[in-house]
Amino acid sequence: MISIKGGVMCRRKLHVMNCSLLLTALCAMGSGGFRDVFLFCLSVAGIIWYLALWSIGLFGCWAARRRYRLRPRSPLATATSAPGVSILRPLKGLDTNLYENLESTFQQEYPNYEIIFSVAEENDQALPIVRDLISKYPHVNTAVIIGEEIVGVNPKINNLIRSYRQAANDILWVLDSNVMVQPGTLARSVDALDGPPPPGSPTSLRRVAVVHHVPFAFAAEAKIGSRIEEAFLNTNHAKMYIAINTVAIESCVVGKSNLYRRSDLERVNGSLNAMPLEEAPRQEDDYGLAAFGRFLAEDNMIASALWHELGLRHSLSCDVARNVVGNMTLGDYVWRRVRWIRVRKHMVLVATLLEPFTESVMLSVIASLSFRYLFAIPSWIVLVLHFPLWLSVDLDVYASLAGHPLPTSIRWEFLAAWAARELLALPIYMLAIFGDEVIWRGNRYQVLRNGEVRRATPSHLNWFRRFIARPKSLVNYESLESTSSD
């Protein structure tokens, strides 16, 4: 009996051991199989994402060629009558190339416009230049407004509000002081704003509410920050900006140079909620330009309000806003990008979170790992092919906007700045994404919902935010009050 029981017990133990080993093997196989499936799906998704970003880049390159390589002269340039336009140029101090920037508005080939300059203080250094230009072009209807009106925390809006109300025309062209434009820009822009839709467009196409111009930067000084800013705006930024606005599924506007109607602006308030056409403003400061004084990126919010609240669309003109980049250090560039990433985070969170994965360095890592896993292609081959091709597309966009290839005189400086911009993109993003404060001329503000801002007191700042706060040596690098905006 004992031997029989012992044999049964031994067989049971052996059976249990075999089952345990089998379960362990199955679990191991299951774990490995799950990992393989996960890596396979991740690699496929990586290649799809990589090809999608390449498609957007190539589309932006094609759209830039199609839109900017030929800029026909508008019939309005030689017409005897045309819709009236008020050009508003808020000023603050001496921007780089200020005389030439302002003179470009006096030279517009357009029969019916006025220029209104505005400064906050009567001793502003820009005023002598304005007076010289008024004497040089006495035939141009020009006015100068001195003194701001406080309607919000945004100094540019405070500077603009009086000229906005005094403007004689419904069509307004707001130009930053660091922007220069070609003589035919206004006429072509009014064509886009007021003219009929392009041939072949559906009859249900929405009316144009905003005409804007892609920034094209040129560095007046060979500072490293200036060169990086120039490379960024003229390649990756322009490529994505043009692609997004050509598809036109959402508002995306930079406020260097914008045309819109005051009558449209008076019907929106920045809520981004669709508004009945019959609804009338309740209070003067609830609607119109004054309502946007609470935002940092007032240009983008105005365009978004016209898009969402009135259901109107935007048009990207075939002209560029030549953005003169002055004396910008590397630190200036970094903190400028930090500022706008923090604003975008509160305006378009999902797009901001995806932003690092649209940059060329991160895309190269995604592509190299995905192709190596799926097709056993060495990573170095992907990297060697990726960057020259990416750069060639960016340089083609540059040539479309500039009207000529990259000049040989700045070739190596530009390429070095381009490489620095690509390498700095992720570190700058990581610095920016964990903060909510920005600096305007030594004052600290906290960015709130939809890009609204308020003064930040020391009690609002934790030790980490203080650690990454901008150095005191960089406090005066650029101010929102200088009308230049990104």
Side-chain angles (χ1 to χ4, degrees):
M1 289 291 294
I2 295 176
S3 61
I4 293 174
K5 288 182 179 179
V8 172
M9 292 292 291
C10 288
R11 283 196 297 271
R12 287 180 177 174
K13 289 181 178 179
L14 183 61
H15 178 70
V16 170
M17 290 176 64
N18 288 336
C19 289
S20 299
L21 291 173
L22 180 61
L23 288 172
T24 302
L26 288 173
C27 288
M29 290 178 62
S31 174
F34 174 77
R35 184 175 64 251
D36 290 342
V37 170
F38 176 75
L39 291 177
F40 175 82
C41 293
L42 197 62
S43 299
V44 170
I47 291 178
I48 292 173
W49 179 257
Y50 181 71
L51 295 177
L53 265 295
W54 258 108
S55 299
I56 294 172
L58 291 172
F59 179 73
C61 179
W62 170 82
R65 276 177 168 255
R66 185 168 176 264
R67 186 181 298 271
Y68 296 101
R69 300 236 171 173
L70 180 63
R71 300 172 191 174
R73 193 181 191 194
S74 167
L76 293 177
T78 55
T80 55
S81 63
V85 178
S86 296
I87 303 175
L88 310 185
R89 300 213 71 160
L91 307 175
K92 175 72 175 181
L94 294 176
D95 282 322
T96 303
N97 212 53
L98 182 62
Y99 187 95
E100 291 79 5
N101 298 344
L102 302 186
E103 186 176 30
S104 69
T105 46
F106 285 88
Q107 297 172 337
Q108 290 303 298
E109 298 172 349
Y110 194 78
N112 185 14
Y113 71 94
E114 65 172 353
I115 306 174
I116 304 178
F117 298 99
S118 58
V119 295
E121 300 173 354
E122 60 182 8
N123 60 349
D124 194 286
Q125 293 176 301
L127 284 176
I129 292 178
V130 171
R131 294 188 179 109
D132 285 349
L133 288 169
I134 292 174
S135 299
K136 185 176 180 180
Y137 297 92
H139 62 283
V140 178
N141 185 11
T142 311
V144 179
I145 294 180
I146 300 175
E148 62 182 358
E149 180 180 336
I150 306 300
V151 296
V153 295
N154 188 322
K156 180 178 175 180
I157 296 293
N158 296 337
N159 192 348
L160 269 174
I161 192 67
R162 292 181 62 196
S163 54
Y164 167 82
R165 291 171 179 160
Q166 183 175 313
N169 303 296
D170 188 42
I171 299 177
L172 307 177
W173 185 14
V174 181
L175 273 168
D176 280 354
S177 58
N178 64 350
V179 167
M180 180 192 304
V181 289
Q182 294 296 319
T185 301
L186 177 55
R188 286 187 288 265
S189 299
V190 173
D191 280 340
L193 183 71
D194 240 16
S201 301
T203 56
S204 60
L205 194 64
R206 296 176 296 167
R207 176 170 64 83
V208 173
V210 178
V211 175
H212 54 122
H213 306 103
V214 63
F216 180 80
F218 64 96
E221 301 185 35
K223 289 280 189 176
I224 183 170
S226 304
R227 288 299 187 195
I228 296 175
E229 178 81 351
E230 178 185 38
F232 168 63
L233 290 178
N234 296 349
T235 58
N236 186 68
H237 178 272
K239 176 178 64 182
M240 300 300 288
Y241 190 79
I242 294 167
I244 292 170
N245 279 285
T246 302
V247 175
I249 59 175
E250 180 55 273
S251 173
C252 179
V253 171
V254 171
K256 294 290 184 185
S257 171
N258 291 340
L259 272 85
Y260 44 76
R261 296 176 181 85
R262 180 169 49 193
S263 56
D264 287 336
L265 190 54
E266 288 297 321
R267 295 162 53 201
V268 298
N269 59 7
S271 67
L272 304 187
N273 298 320
M275 192 170 297
L277 293 177
E278 65 275 7
E279 183 170 335
R282 293 179 294 275
Q283 293 183 12
E284 184 178 359
D285 290 345
D286 288 342
Y287 289 76
L289 186 64
F292 295 88
R294 65 187 190 273
F295 298 104
L296 171 58
E298 83 295 328
D299 41 27
N300 186 275
M301 283 304 302
I302 288 172
S304 295
L306 294 171
W307 180 287
H308 291 284
E309 295 178 36
L310 301 185
L312 304 178
R313 65 186 177 96
H314 308 152
S315 179
L316 192 59
S317 168
C318 64
D319 289 282
V320 300
R322 293 180 62 83
N323 180 197
V324 185
V325 182
N327 186 3
M328 184 180 287
T329 66
L330 178 60
D332 298 341
Y333 169 79
V334 169
W335 289 103
R336 184 178 179 85
R337 297 272 71 81
V338 165
R339 184 174 73 192
W340 293 113
I341 290 171
R342 289 178 178 175
V343 171
R344 287 198 301 274
K345 179 180 68 173
H346 289 274
M347 298 177 71
V348 283
L349 178 61
V350 174
T352 306
L353 293 177
L354 290 175
E355 190 173 316
F357 303 99
T358 67
E359 298 288 355
S360 66
V361 173
M362 183 66 76
L363 281 174
S364 70
V365 173
I366 292 172
S368 61
L369 294 176
S370 299
F371 280 107
R372 185 178 66 180
Y373 183 84
L374 292 176
F375 306 110
I377 299 176
S379 297
W380 67 268
I381 293 180
V382 176
L383 297 176
V384 166
L385 292 174
H386 168 82
F387 285 106
L389 292 174
W390 194 272
L391 174 61
S392 66
V393 171
D394 280 359
L395 292 180
D396 194 84
V397 172
Y398 177 99
S400 296
L401 298 181
H404 55 77
L406 181 68
T408 55
S409 59
I410 63 168
R411 178 184 299 165
W412 296 112
E413 288 182 43
F414 188 92
L415 294 179
W418 180 89
R421 207 297 299 186
E422 302 301 320
L423 293 172
L424 285 171
L426 184 59
I428 291 174
Y429 177 87
M430 296 305 296
L431 174 64
I433 200 66
F434 294 110
D436 296 318
E437 284 81 32
V438 294
I439 302 293
W440 297 352
R441 200 172 182 82
N443 296 319
R444 188 180 302 276
Y445 293 84
Q446 184 179 15
V447 185
L448 307 174
R449 180 181 61 87
N450 286 343
E452 296 181 38
V453 292
R454 70 179 180 191
R455 284 289 184 96
T457 62
S459 60
H460 288 129
L461 307 179
N462 59 32
W463 69 270
F464 178 72
R465 289 171 180 168
R466 291 182 182 183
F467 175 76
I468 65 172
R470 192 170 167 208
K472 290 182 179 179
S473 61
L474 297 177
V475 160
N476 292 316
Y477 82 97
E478 177 200 15
S479 122
L480 185 73
E481 298 177 16
S482 74
T483 79
S484 303
S485 62
D486 203 18

